[in-house]
Amino acid sequence: MNANKSNDLAVGVSPFIRKDPRKLTNLNEILTCLSWCQSEEAELSNSLTELLSDRDSLTGSLRQLEALIPRLDDLCLESSYLANKVSSTAKTAQCVGGRVRSLDEEMSRVSEATERVGQVMELKSSLAQLQSCIESQDWESATRHCARAMSLSFEVISGPFAGVSVPTAESHLPPTQTLQAAREQLLSIFLRQFEQASRSRDAAATSRYFKLFPAIGWEAEGLEAYASFVIDLVRVRAPTSAKTSSPLYYVTALTALFESVAMIVDQHQPVVEKYYGAGKMQSVVKRLLEECDRVVKSTLEAWREDRSVKRKLLDVSNSTVAMSGPRKQFPIITEVSDVDPREIDKTLSEIAGMSGRWCLFRKFLAEQLQDEGTSSDEQVIPDMQHPEPTSVAPSSTEDRVSLLMEQIELLDTTSSQRDFEELLTSCYIPMEIWYTRTIIDKAHRLSSPDLSQTPFITTTPDDAFYILKTVYSRLLSTGSLKALERTTDLLRDVMDRDYAGGIKRKLDDVYRTSGGTATGIRTEKSEREGRSSFIILLNDLDLSSSHMERLTKDLLSQHVITQLYLGTEQPKVRSTTASLVSSTTKFKAVLRAGIEQLFNQLMRPRLRTLIPDIYKDICYVLDEDTYSNAEYQGIVRKRFVKVWEGLVDGYKDAFTENNYRMLFGLALDVILRPWEKYILTLHYSELGAIRFDRDLRSIMAYLSSQTVFGDIREKFVRLQQISSLLNLDSDEDVEAFYSGSGISWTLSMQEARDIVGLKV
């Protein structure tokens, strides 16, 4: 090891590659080679010296190894003896084991041959009895023997032994061909008998032959025959007592169709699952849906023709100015229209009724097929050609969700689904929007004050929101999420532009159209009438906000959401319906603009002199006599009450609570800042500061008594803080009070110093 280490070190020290000395050709190469040899010699000498220095330890190790030699010799002799003894026993055991394995192999072959012979005999017996039962027309026994033959493995049936042993003089074909021929013969017989039983409506015979198909491996053919049978059951013809002119004729026809299919699925599904296995009803449902597609298509075509839908759509489009611009720019409804809204209303109700029936049927099938796939007691029917089960019920939540999505996709890809979506898009939505706008326009034109309400409003909000509730309830009853989303968006725009915009135009027209004199000077009567009309319109807007919020809650509580919409669709339906309440933003914006306009025109000019008039000749530098006199007279409060009552006279009873609160707040906002500025121009004695505080508190108490919304004190915070600073003791430090009082100051420190400086 040391030598190797030395060599490695030598190689690491000198990169020179050793050459044959006889091939050296110049002095430099000779010297280099010589130097390398000397280095290698030195390394070898050092390693030998190290080995010789460790000679004692090597000698001791050799002595220990020599001491082990006798023990190792004894062990070698013992192991040789044991190996000779075991090898003879192993040879004997190997001979015995080989014979046993040969016997086991022979026994397994005999057992396999016996089993194969038994299976072939069973096959031969089954085929013979099968032919006998076919001849005697004992179809149940024939099916049982055929199923027993099919239960044997394909290797047995098609094996050479069966090919030699099974054929007889009467049936010389190989067993596979014999079995297949018998199966095909039985299929032909069962189909013929099933068809005869279904034509004669023999329920017992129909059920008898239906359950025989899967037992002999004709599952798909049995389901096909069964599907044809149930399709014939659900063929719907128009009732003789009904007329196509009846508004419920087509809705009733589609209802009868869907109820028939639903009843078939509900009643026959357990039978199909019992004999064919879970999930097999879906193929029957596909055929039923194809029949539904055919009937729905013909029904809708007949409905369009009988109801002159194309003409109505043309009339609706001609009764409006063509839309120019983005979607939210609505056409303007003309004053005169030949279209009768009542006819459009009937048509819309028919569309919603037909679409709702389809969506109810769609939801039923989706849930029914999902229950079928997740049934806990489903029976797995083995395939006679493949011993493995034909279906396994999904057990996890992911599997159930996946199954539900498959059912929804199956239903959404039907022609009926496309036809109803097209009907809603092309007919329902444009007609519904036209109808809503027409009725809202009519509500505006026929609006009149409702004197039975206090405060006064017009009939417009009640009429418009009654129609909106009717329209949206009908929209929900269509059961279409796509139509709901699109129409909700359009209805919000209708309420913003047609309804709120209509009220805004009336507000703008109040003072332009209310009667004035020939000279253009408005009379007091016209001014009063204009103000009353303006206030009533503002009340309409406030009432509209509460109507919209209440309507949204009512719509969200309707049971139609859970009845017609799938569970996966219901959250989106609720959020879309809840978005209606966003129209209140537009109502409130128009309302605030209107109240500000009224305030600026009628109240703001009178408020400009309110504070100077109240504090005219008022001085807060008081001694005891003047303080007692001021306390007795209470001039400031009396003046304020007189001016304020003259200012708000008639508004409290005329306005709704929310509108009066908004007007009240605007008035306070206008007077408070000038009030603060004015009192900062006065000087105060100690008694005068107390008098000012009492005046302020009496005015606040009066204003609080005039309202029920209780936010007066919040608006008077700065004035109250000014009063607190004015009533500080003369020896109290303002900065210490400002920092340590715990008051949330709206005044700055400098303002506090300036206020305290007003005291004399």
Side-chain angles (χ1 to χ4, degrees), residues 457-527:
I457 57 173
T458 69
T459 57
T460 303
D462 289 344
D463 293 344
F465 279 91
Y466 173 78
I467 291 301
L468 181 61
K469 182 176 182 179
T470 301
V471 167
Y472 209 87
S473 297
R474 180 163 57 201
L475 174 61
L476 285 173
S477 69
T478 62
S480 171
L481 178 59
K482 293 180 180 178
L484 180 71
E485 291 176 333
R486 184 175 178 186
T487 310
T488 300
D489 194 14
L490 294 173
L491 287 175
R492 285 202 309 269
D493 292 339
V494 168
M495 296 304 294
D496 290 349
R497 296 176 178 273
D498 288 49
Y499 179 74
I503 296 178
K504 186 177 185 303
R505 286 190 293 272
K506 289 183 180 181
L507 288 171
D508 296 338
D509 293 342
V510 165
Y511 289 103
R512 286 202 300 265
T513 58
S514 55
T517 64
T519 60
I521 301 175
R522 299 175 62 87
T523 64
E524 182 179 351
K525 179 181 179 181
S526 65
E527 185 76 30

Side-chain angles (χ1 to χ4, degrees), residues 194 198 201 206 210 222-236 257 260-261 263-265 267-269 272 281 283-289 291:
F194 183 85
S198 61
R201 295 293 188 268
T206 302
F210 172 66
L223 290 173
E224 181 69 20
Y226 172 75
S228 300
F229 163 64
V230 295
I231 286 174
D232 187 59
L233 289 179
V234 300
R235 292 190 188 277
V236 177
L257 169 67
S260 299
V261 175
M263 190 177 299
I264 288 294
V265 173
Q267 294 179 354
H268 291 223
Q269 178 180 334
V272 175
M281 189 64 186
S283 61
V284 180
V285 171
K286 288 181 180 179
R287 288 289 309 278
L288 289 170
L289 288 174
E291 174 64 17

Side-chain angles (χ1 to χ4, degrees), residues 37-48:
C37 291
Q38 291 174 349
S39 299
E40 186 175 9
E41 181 184 7
E43 290 292 338
L44 291 174
S45 298
N46 292 334
S47 62
L48 289 174

Side-chain angles (χ1 to χ4, degrees), residues 1-11 43-44 46-47 50:
M1 181 180 68
N2 290 334
N4 292 335
K5 181 177 179 183
S6 300
N7 291 336
D8 293 341
L9 291 172
V11 172
E43 290 292 338
L44 291 174
N46 292 334
S47 62
E50 291 177 359

Side-chain angles (χ1 to χ4, degrees), residues 307 311-312 339-350 431 435:
R307 299 295 187 261
R311 178 185 59 79
K312 291 179 180 178
V339 185
D340 186 357
R342 291 173 296 182
E343 290 296 323
I344 300 299
D345 182 52
K346 292 178 182 178
T347 303
L348 290 170
S349 297
E350 276 194 288
M431 285 186 179
Y435 176 76

Side-chain angles (χ1 to χ4, degrees), residues 735-743 745:
E735 295 185 3
F737 177 74
Y738 187 91
S739 303
S741 63
I743 298 175
W745 293 95

Side-chain angles (χ1 to χ4, degrees), residues 230-248:
V230 295
I231 286 174
D232 187 59
L233 289 179
V234 300
R235 292 190 188 277
V236 177
R237 294 174 176 82
T240 56
S241 60
K243 296 182 179 180
T244 58
S245 59
S246 170
L248 296 178

Side-chain angles (χ1 to χ4, degrees), residues 122-132 145 149 166 175 178-179:
E122 182 180 358
L123 174 62
K124 185 174 183 179
S125 173
S126 298
L127 292 177
Q129 293 178 10
L130 172 60
Q131 293 297 331
S132 176
H145 293 306
V166 173
T178 302
L179 180 59

